[in-house]
Amino acid sequence: MAFQEIALPQSLGTTGSITERLHELVVTVDHKKLGLMYIGTALIFLIVSGSMAGLIRAQLAVPNNDLISPQVFNRLFTMHGTAMIFLFGMPIVAGLMNYLVPLMIGARDMAFPRLNAFGYWMFLFGGLLLFFSYLAAPGLSGHGSAPDVGWFAYAPLTGRAFSQGHSTDYWILALLVSGIGSIVSAINVIATIVSLRCKGMTLMRMPLFVWLMLIVSGMILSALPPLTAAQIMLLLDRFLGSRFFDTQAGGSAVLWQHFFWIFGHPEVYILMIPGFACVSEIIPVFSRKPMFGYPMMVAATVMIGSISMSVWAHHMFSVGMTSVGNTFFAVSTMLVGIPTGIKIFNWLGTMYGGKIRFELPMIFCIGFLFQFLIAGLTGIMLGVAPFNWQLTDSYFVVAHFHYVLIGGLLFTIFAAIYYWYPKAFGRMLDRKLGLWHFWLFLIGFHLTFDPQHIAGILGMPRRIYTFDPGRGWEIYNLISSIGAIFQAAGLLCLVANLLLSLRKGERAGDDPWDAWTLEWTTTSPPPEYNFETLPEVRSRRPLWDLKHPKDPDWKYE
Amino acid sequence: MTPRLLKRPGSLWPGRKSALPLALATGMLAGTVYAGAPGQITNIFEPLSTPAESVYQSALLTLAICAVIFLIVGGLLLYTTIRFRRRAGDDSLEPPQIYGSNQIELAWTVIPILIVFVLVLVTARTTADVQNQPALPDSLNVTVVGHQWWWEIRYPELGIVTANELHVPVSNAAKRKLTFLRLESADVAHSFWVPQLAGKTDLIPNRVNVMWIEPKQVGTYLGNCAEYCGTQHARMLVRVIAHEPEDFARWAAAQQETGVEEPRVKDGRQLFFATSCINCHAIRGTVAKGRFGPDLTHLMSRDTLASGAARNTPEKLRGWMRNPQTIKDGALMPDMKLSDEELDHITAYLQTLK
Amino acid sequence: MISEDAFRMPVNLAEWRLPSRRKVAVACLIATEAAMFTIFVVAYLYYLGKSLTGPYPAQVLETPILSTICLLGSSLTIVVAERALRRANRGGFQLWWAFTILLAAVFLGATASEWHRLITVHHLTISTNLFGTTFYSLVGLHASHVVVGVTLLGLILVLSLRGHVKNEHHEHVEMISWYWHFVDAVWVVVFTVVYVIGR
């Protein structure tokens, strides 16, 4: 690969008036712009949905609080969960995939750039549709407003009889529309990875990030359709009077649960594995060692992807399956924990013997490692079916999945932001502000979610808008609510950092972190065509090979 | 272009321990202050009934294993983060580039498999023990029907129907007395959760689930509905009151009686039957046979109204009838728009339903 | 600067050939659609025999032999059409392509007539019972995919009649035919589940 020093303009998209720049975003098919649009929109939904969580915590801070009525509360937790998963989690994943995969495989764009744009706009419209329900769902009957059936919308609560007005219909339609965006993204990513890798980049020479995104995309293709199917069935029930989940006509409420969780469980891995992908790029660079056990990491993730399709009923241990059924799903759940645990050991092995640099991406990764370890262990507890009978549907499980999604996924997203922002915008994020972000958020996260484990152990069910005093839950809820303030403060620091650093950040150059994958061989930000000449690679770390010509990777791999 | 090397190592040490073990210990300690009796604190680690005890045993083992894993892996993480940090003034030589190690990777695959094996055995055993318990001679059979947002409780063999409070006899080692609950639902999915008695089991329409409890201590066990079922899911509490066998027999006999007609509440009684109360409520021995709302035959024998939303006092009862939404916003009982006088009469009548 | 060693490739990169992106994408689409159909089939099988009231499958279903032959036959005609295109036989391609569309239209017409009979004569609708629910949703989902397929086929026919479809587009046309074969394969499954097992 020839290195030529060419001064490229540091442009953040086009220069021009606001209208010109907005127009550019509306018509763009460039994977980098679309990736940033996905991520930016997702962050906005994060803040909106996070504010909802703030309101929830305000209501639950004291017993018998009447800050928020039960009807509004039930909408809040439904919208919070739905928006976080579908309007923050999925698009953040899509954004990272779309921005980074072509750069990492040495391609000029995704396989289908227009399809990429289509996917983004479907996601956005789906999201707007969901929130539009606040305005439009009451309709003529006055019933409704935003959906209030919980993010997993169990039947028959979602049937016409129990969910009047159109709130549930908005839930269904919004997710169908944005779900199309997810599926389309997945197809695009698979086609890109399979068909557009640069010369020499065999599958086992791809960055681990790319491998994991390939697996995630495969999972999306198999996990989203059950949700789509179930939602179509629910739509038919609600509009055409079909009987899929109409228990009065012999329909089965448990069937909805099966279909939903056949989607729902792989979904949480679809959210988490991209976090693993980011961490698998960042930890090696900041430990100054290659990923420990690359082939095993690939194999473990493939195993997670496939086994995760067989664990779904661990969300249904209390539904009344036979002891054989319950035991089967407990076994599969614990089996999927093995490759997941192995990945922690591999990251540990990468750090061990290294020279760890505590830059912000790495700091967030270290937080992730501890927190994900705990999340995994509470997950094992939940996998032991009898223990699950006490823990499920309580604040213990709320604590568990927030540990996975915030302590795990969100921390890796933060790490990814600090790591790749310089590549996308040509500027470093401010370190001091970043440390404030980290510490405030860390304290807030633990204040909020650590006590919730105990509230659950003391019998506090989830999805309740208030509780009586004297149950022993008061102190844990109060601490939990205080934590929300710290998290908000931490997020504020991040947002400020993102905006201020656009103009004021230190110039990044091509490769501020001394990293090894292809995206660091081009300018920051990359030109629209990504690479001057398409690269040819011989190993997993092409830039390492160039920097260490006497000691290249391809001699040892 | 030379890659930039940031020479300043991290100035703020990011390592820290999790607060969870500390919090967990505190919580469990706090719970044990109220050692071994049913009450307001419903700690799953204070089981007072056989199924809850079985769950507790499996939970302890699981917790112990997880704690060990946490200490080892967490400890290694901590150690690694400290030991292998880049020191200030370090030269810029890269550390040895290790790509993997088959032996190490094998070891840390095999050990988790063994741990999982142990957990699977424990799980299978406990699951079977709890779920496949056969009925013992003279077990009590109760049918619990979930409604939005109250519990209908029927004793088919005793001819008793009540609501929100489940009375059962205690069990002792000499003469075990189990209570089997047949769980059904009249509308949406609910879940029966009395933490100190057993794990949760769902009530799902068009499906029958069976669970059992075996309280070992006399007292009132508190529980909640644990499956989101709509607006007032939060206020769908259930109380299980365990009696000595003789007391239970006395309670059952009293419940089986139908009310005596007291002349002094004739006005209230007539009002009750004239207005649409009887469309939803039943009072055994009268024409009131409504099934939509709770059975009121022995309303005054209950501690609370509206499945735990208010204490059962005359004022609260009157307030409930005046406008249920003020006590339980969203409750399906409509505001009957009764006048003050009508309310007084009906309250007086209901007060006689002991 | 960079040593030449770093550039010497042991692998002969002149033969660096990766699968066609089009094929990968359509294969993914088929996989994801198959997953969705699977759920409807599972619902159908789960609810077999669980309807609380009639009409019941054995009473009202008539095996759709003609429409099945037409639809499966259309898989053959589309292959013939593709071969013609590869041999640059535009007229042959258009003829066999139109024949495919015709066979699909017969299938759709037969489905419509069957539904008409079920609704007006047997009073079976999607809300009648579990059988009606699962029958109309599964068969309907398949039929909607046939409609989409016919639309795509029609578009190609129009483009071809205007002279835009040439030999070099054979892979594009092949992708449409892959979708079409998938729709036919789904019919084999639906037919077996509804008209063979389900009765």
Side-chain angles (χ1 to χ4, degrees), chain C residues 60-78:
Chain C
V60 301
L61 286 182
E62 284 168 16
T63 321
I65 307 265
L66 174 69
S67 52
T68 303
I69 292 177
C70 284
L71 191 67
L72 297 183
S74 69
S75 261
L76 293 169
T77 57
I78 205 174

Side-chain angles (χ1 to χ4, degrees), chain A residues 291-305:
Chain A
M291 186 71 226
F292 188 91
Y294 173 106
M296 190 52 149
M297 288 294 270
V298 173
T301 315
V302 170
M303 279 199 285
I304 294 176

Side-chain angles (χ1 to χ4, degrees), chain A residues 5 64 70-71 74 77 148-150 154 156-157 162 247 250-251 253-254 257 287-294 296 318-323 326-327 330-331 334 338 342 345-346 348 351-359 363 366-367 369-371 373-374 377 380-381 384-387 389-394 403 431 435 439 442 446 450 453-454 456-466 468-473 476 506-508 510-514 541 544 547-548 553 556, chain B residues 1 3-6 8-16 18-20 23-24 26-27 30-31 40-45 52 55 58-59 62-63 66 69-70 73-74 76-81 84-86 90-91 93-101 104-105 108-109 112-113 116 119-120 123-124 126-128 130-132 148 186-189 191 193 195-196 198-202 204-207 209 222-235 237 308 329-330:
Chain A
E5 301 227 9
N64 281 330
Q71 293 87 346
N74 295 340
F77 75 70
D148 62 352
V149 290
Y154 275 179
L157 186 61
F162 301 106
T247 48
V254 174
Q257 293 193 33
S287 307
R288 307 311 302 161
K289 285 176 63 217
M291 186 71 226
F292 188 91
Y294 173 106
M296 190 52 149
S318 60
V319 130
M321 293 188 296
T322 62
S323 58
N326 283 333
T327 305
V331 171
M334 287 191 255
I338 296 177
I342 285 176
F345 304 145
N346 279 77
L348 191 50
M351 291 164 65
Y352 193 92
K355 288 192 182 176
I356 303 173
R357 291 182 358 222
F358 293 111
E359 302 295 339
I363 293 175
I366 295 174
L369 286 170
F370 279 101
Q371 284 154 185
L373 173 64
I374 295 173
L377 293 174
I380 294 288
M381 293 178 211
V384 174
F387 201 2
W389 293 330
Q390 290 283 27
L391 297 174
T392 192
D393 262 315
S394 76
Y403 247 81
R431 181 186 167 86
L435 284 171
W439 286 110
L442 186 79
H446 284 281
D450 292 358
H453 292 94
I454 309 198
I457 287 172
L458 293 179
M460 181 173 179
R462 61 188 286 199
R463 301 171 152 188
I464 54 174
Y465 74 96
T466 190
D468 286 325
R471 300 295 297 266
W473 304 338
Y476 305 110
E506 206 182 322
R507 295 244 177 222
D510 290 3
D511 181 19
W513 305 116
D514 193 5
R541 299 190 294 171
W544 168 280
K547 293 175 190 171
H548 299 85
D553 259 3
Y556 303 96
Chain B
M1 257 182 285
R4 172 176 311 196
L5 271 171
L6 289 163
R8 230 185 41 214
S11 50
L12 268 177
W13 175 238
R16 79 286 172 282
S18 163
L20 177 64
L24 202 59
T26 317
Q40 289 280 305
I41 308 289
T42 51
N43 187 345
I44 65 175
F45 292 139
V55 168
S58 67
T62 310
L63 270 173
C66 289
I69 297 175
F70 176 74
V73 181
L76 273 170
L77 269 171
L78 195 59
Y79 171 75
T80 306
T81 323
F84 295 105
R85 71 191 190 282
R86 183 165 164 270
D90 195 351
D91 60 22
L93 272 182
E94 307 284 26
Q97 303 288 292
I98 314 279
Y99 296 90
S101 158
I104 297 181
E105 296 193 63
W108 71 38
T109 309
I113 292 179
V116 161
L119 284 174
V120 163
T123 303
T126 313
T127 306
V130 172
Q131 287 196 266
N132 302 338
Q148 281 181 316
D187 41 38
V188 298
S191 191
W193 190 30
Q196 293 184 286
K200 304 172 189 68
T201 310
D202 292 350
I204 297 181
N206 197 26
R207 185 192 178 90
N209 281 338
L222 206 48
N224 281 68
C225 172
E227 183 61 69
Y228 176 64
C229 48
T231 313
Q232 279 293 349
H233 163 65
R235 293 209 189 281
L237 279 77
D329 185 2

Side-chain angles (χ1 to χ4, degrees), chain B residues 250-272:
Chain B
R250 225 172 291 135
W251 172 85
Q255 290 282 317
Q256 280 166 335
E257 285 172 19
T258 56
V260 177
E261 272 188 43
E262 283 188 39
R264 99 187 136 79
V265 291
K266 184 175 60 117
D267 287 334
R269 194 163 175 278
Q270 275 170 354
L271 265 171
F272 185 89

Side-chain angles (χ1 to χ4, degrees), chain A residues 243 246-252, chain B residues 206, chain C residues 47-57 59 127-133:
Chain A
R243 310 288 181 186
D246 180 354
T247 48
Q248 301 291 315
S252 165
Chain B
N206 197 26
Chain C
Y47 280 136
L48 265 182
K50 296 220 170 74
S51 295
L52 297 181
T53 63
Y56 301 102
Q59 296 169 335
S127 62
T128 307
N129 57 10
L130 287 170
F131 165 54
T133 292

